[in-house]
């Protein structure tokens, strides 16, 4: 039984049935059920005040185990100098003479390198999320960090598992890491939010199931193997226009920045929208406010972050890139964690191999933006 699929989650049966009922062809619904994930959406429920240790959090600073230093990247002097030269379009010599660039970083004498802080993305409290899924560790915390260099096309993600019994020190007690916006920035996640999870499902964009993503085509054909080849081909061709059958969801009526604002104002699907909350929506357009019904449950919309979703690419799926970088087969990778990365709605994916997740190993992570 694949624990990652919504069809094997009792608490998601109603959500799954509602989604599959939109497809007129039961064979098509059967194929797409292989791509509907047993996900968890995460929503900001309060600004982070660091009063609680180890809670689920997006942005700000992490609660690290006592004895663990804040993660850094070691960057050699010439590599750092080249970064500034590239950013400001000058020669090394000009940067050396006119910029005080080396003062912005801590120098590690033993390593002969600068200690560049990684960007903290999120921490997840696995105990709080275990009721929603069965594939993450049952307790402890997952900490997500990113090596992000503006001049580099390579993103390197790091995930650390912190056991439940380890003593934590509050992020509030950590000295603010030094970032230089010229080559390494942290502004996207300076704001910190407490996160609340809800059980959700995530369906792949059907037009991703094409020849650019052969691992997805193989999975679709596995669901159709009892059918004659001509019928299999007909169902696969229908995937290209399946979006025309779908009933528009509530969130489809909103712009990306409006969805982010919903998240940041603490509006969580299923909760009753109080009169006071509704009265405090003057930051939105009249069209948006017309969609909100006071004293009614808020409809579902995507959280600012999610677990076990899909990378959104109409070409090569993110797991194909992960397999090329880390080895193995694309179908054995999954999006462990996804988060909105900026006000421009960029989505950052942390991808892991299924076997590593099952073993609780988080030292092989591939990061990529949606495109």
């Amino acid at each position: 039984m694949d624990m990652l699929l919504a069809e094997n989650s009792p608490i998601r049966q109603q959500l799954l049935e509602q989604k599959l009922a939109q497809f007129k062809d039961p064979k098509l619904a059967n194929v797409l059920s292989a791509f509907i994930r047993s996900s968890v959406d995460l929503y900001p429920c309060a600004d982070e005040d660091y009063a609680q240790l180890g809670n689920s959090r997006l942005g700000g600073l992490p609660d690290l185990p006592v004895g663990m230093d804040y993660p850094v990247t070691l960057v050699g002097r010439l590599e750092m100098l080249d970064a500034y030269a590239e950013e400001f379009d000058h020669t090394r010599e000009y940067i050396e003479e006119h910029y005080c660039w080396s003062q912005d970083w801590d120098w590690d004498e033993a390593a002969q390198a600068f200690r560049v802080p990684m960007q903290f993305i999120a921490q997840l409290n696995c105990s709080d999320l275990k009721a929603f899924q069965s594939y993450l560790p049952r307790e402890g915390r997952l900490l997500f960090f990113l090596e992000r260099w503006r001049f580099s096309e390579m993103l390197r993600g790091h995930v650390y598992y912190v056991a439940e019994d380890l003593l934590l020190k509050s992020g509030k007690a950590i000295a603010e890491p030094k970032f230089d916006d010229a080559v390494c920035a942290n502004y996207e996640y300076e704001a910190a939010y407490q996160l609340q999870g809800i059980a959700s499902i995530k369906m792949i964009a059907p037009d991703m199931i094409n020849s650019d993503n052969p691992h997805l085509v193989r999975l679709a054909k596995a669901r159709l193997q009892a059918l004659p080849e001509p019928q299999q081909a007909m169902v696969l061709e229908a995937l290209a226009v399946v979006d025309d059958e779908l009933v528009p969801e509530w969130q489809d009526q909103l712009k990306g920045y409006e969805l982010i604002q919903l998240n940041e104002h603490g509006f969580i699907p299923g909760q009753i929208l109080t009169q006071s909350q509704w009265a405090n929506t003057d930051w939105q357009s009249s069209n948006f406010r017309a969609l909100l019904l006071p004293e009614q449950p808020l409809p579902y919309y995507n959280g600012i972050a999610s677990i076990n979703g899909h990378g959104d690419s109409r070409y090569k799926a993110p797991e194909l890139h992960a397999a090329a970088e880390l080895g193995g087969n694309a179908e054995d990778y999954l999006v462990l964690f996804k988060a909105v990365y900026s006000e421009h709605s960029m989505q950052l994916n942390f991808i892991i191999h299924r076997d590593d997740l099952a073993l609780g190993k988080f030292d092989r992570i591939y990061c990529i933006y949606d495109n």
Side-chain angles (χ1 to χ4, degrees):
M1 178 181 292
D2 191 339
M3 297 184 297
L4 301 168
L5 292 182
E7 63 186 13
N8 297 320
S9 169
I11 65 174
R12 290 173 175 79
Q13 284 306 303
Q14 183 177 357
L15 293 173
L16 183 64
E17 290 169 6
Q18 289 172 349
K19 176 62 71 176
L20 294 180
Q22 297 187 39
F23 303 105
K24 300 171 185 176
D25 185 346
K27 299 184 186 67
L28 190 59
N30 180 51
V31 168
L32 288 171
S33 65
F35 299 94
I36 299 180
R37 298 275 178 165
S38 176
S39 303
V40 180
D41 270 272
L42 298 159
Y43 300 85
C45 56
D47 292 338
E48 182 59 86
D49 59 7
Y50 298 94
Q52 181 182 354
L53 285 174
N55 58 313
S56 294
R57 176 183 307 157
L58 183 73
L61 290 165
D63 299 329
L64 297 177
V66 172
M68 177 180 173
D69 294 329
Y70 190 95
V72 298
T73 304
L74 294 176
V75 180
R77 187 177 184 282
L78 291 181
E79 183 183 359
M80 181 71 80
L81 188 56
D82 285 342
Y84 278 87
E86 180 178 337
E87 177 66 22
F88 295 107
D89 195 24
H90 289 301
T91 64
R92 283 183 183 175
E93 292 73 22
Y94 186 92
I95 296 294
E96 284 270 49
E97 183 177 352
H98 294 89
Y99 287 78
C100 300
W101 60 277
S102 61
Q103 298 177 13
D104 294 320
W105 310 104
D106 293 326
W107 177 255
D108 188 316
E109 188 65 31
Q112 287 293 293
F114 292 104
R115 295 167 56 84
V116 179
M118 293 186 196
Q119 187 176 29
F120 171 65
I121 305 299
Q123 67 183 29
L124 300 182
N125 186 310
C126 296
S127 296
D128 290 346
L129 300 173
K130 65 183 180 182
F132 304 129
Q133 46 70 40
S134 53
Y135 41 80
L136 293 183
R138 299 291 83 195
E139 59 181 16
R141 281 92 185 172
L142 292 174
L143 306 181
F144 295 82
F145 290 86
L146 183 68
E147 293 183 52
R148 176 177 178 265
W149 288 86
R150 289 188 172 184
F151 61 89
S152 174
E153 296 180 358
M154 177 71 72
L155 294 174
R156 294 184 179 90
H158 298 265
V159 179
Y160 300 93
Y161 176 69
V162 178
E164 185 74 21
D165 58 355
L166 292 182
L167 186 64
L168 301 177
K169 58 183 177 183
S170 172
K172 194 172 183 180
I174 297 175
E176 192 78 28
K178 292 193 301 182
F179 290 92
D180 182 351
D181 282 353
V183 294
C184 181
N186 193 45
Y187 58 87
E188 288 92 348
Y189 283 109
E190 286 180 334
Y193 302 100
Q194 298 174 23
L195 293 176
Q196 177 177 328
I198 68 168
S200 61
I201 62 175
K202 288 285 190 291
M203 188 179 81
I204 198 169
D207 57 0
M208 283 182 63
I209 307 171
N210 59 45
S211 57
D212 288 326
N213 297 300
H215 65 297
L216 301 180
V217 175
R218 285 195 296 270
L219 181 55
K221 286 184 174 180
R223 287 289 173 115
L224 295 169
Q225 60 185 349
L227 298 178
E229 282 287 341
Q231 289 188 35
Q232 290 188 33
M234 290 174 60
V235 175
L236 292 174
E237 287 176 10
L239 288 170
V241 293
V242 74
D243 282 341
D244 297 338
E245 294 188 21
L246 294 177
V247 177
E249 296 179 344
W250 186 74
Q251 65 179 350
D252 293 334
Q253 303 174 64
L254 303 172
K255 298 180 176 64
Y257 73 88
E258 291 175 320
L259 295 173
I260 293 175
Q261 287 178 322
L262 275 170
N263 272 280
E264 293 179 346
H265 279 77
F267 289 4
I268 299 176
Q271 290 188 352
I272 300 298
L273 179 67
T274 65
Q275 285 285 353
S276 61
Q277 284 178 315
W278 185 85
N280 191 31
T281 56
D282 54 0
W283 41 271
Q284 272 299 355
S285 65
S286 57
N287 178 58
F288 171 86
R289 295 187 80 219
L291 295 174
L292 297 173
L293 299 176
E295 304 306 326
Q296 294 296 317
L298 282 160
Y300 172 78
Y301 72 97
N302 287 336
I304 202 166
S306 64
I307 302 164
N308 187 31
H310 288 285
D312 186 12
S313 170
R314 296 305 187 270
Y315 303 103
K316 288 191 175 181
E319 55 267 24
L320 271 174
H321 295 281
E325 178 73 18
L326 302 178
N329 301 315
E331 51 264 48
D332 294 328
Y333 286 88
L334 63 109
V335 180
L336 173 65
F337 181 74
K338 176 193 284 282
V340 173
Y341 190 70
S342 72
E343 62 183 12
H344 303 297
S345 303
M346 294 178 70
Q347 300 274 336
L348 177 65
N349 300 279
F350 286 77
I351 298 177
I352 192 171
H353 195 280
R354 284 169 174 255
D355 291 347
D356 290 339
L357 178 59
L359 294 171
K361 295 174 57 180
F362 299 94
D363 56 347
R364 289 200 312 151
I365 296 293
Y366 182 80
C367 264
I368 189 170
Y369 293 120
D370 281 346
N371 58 31

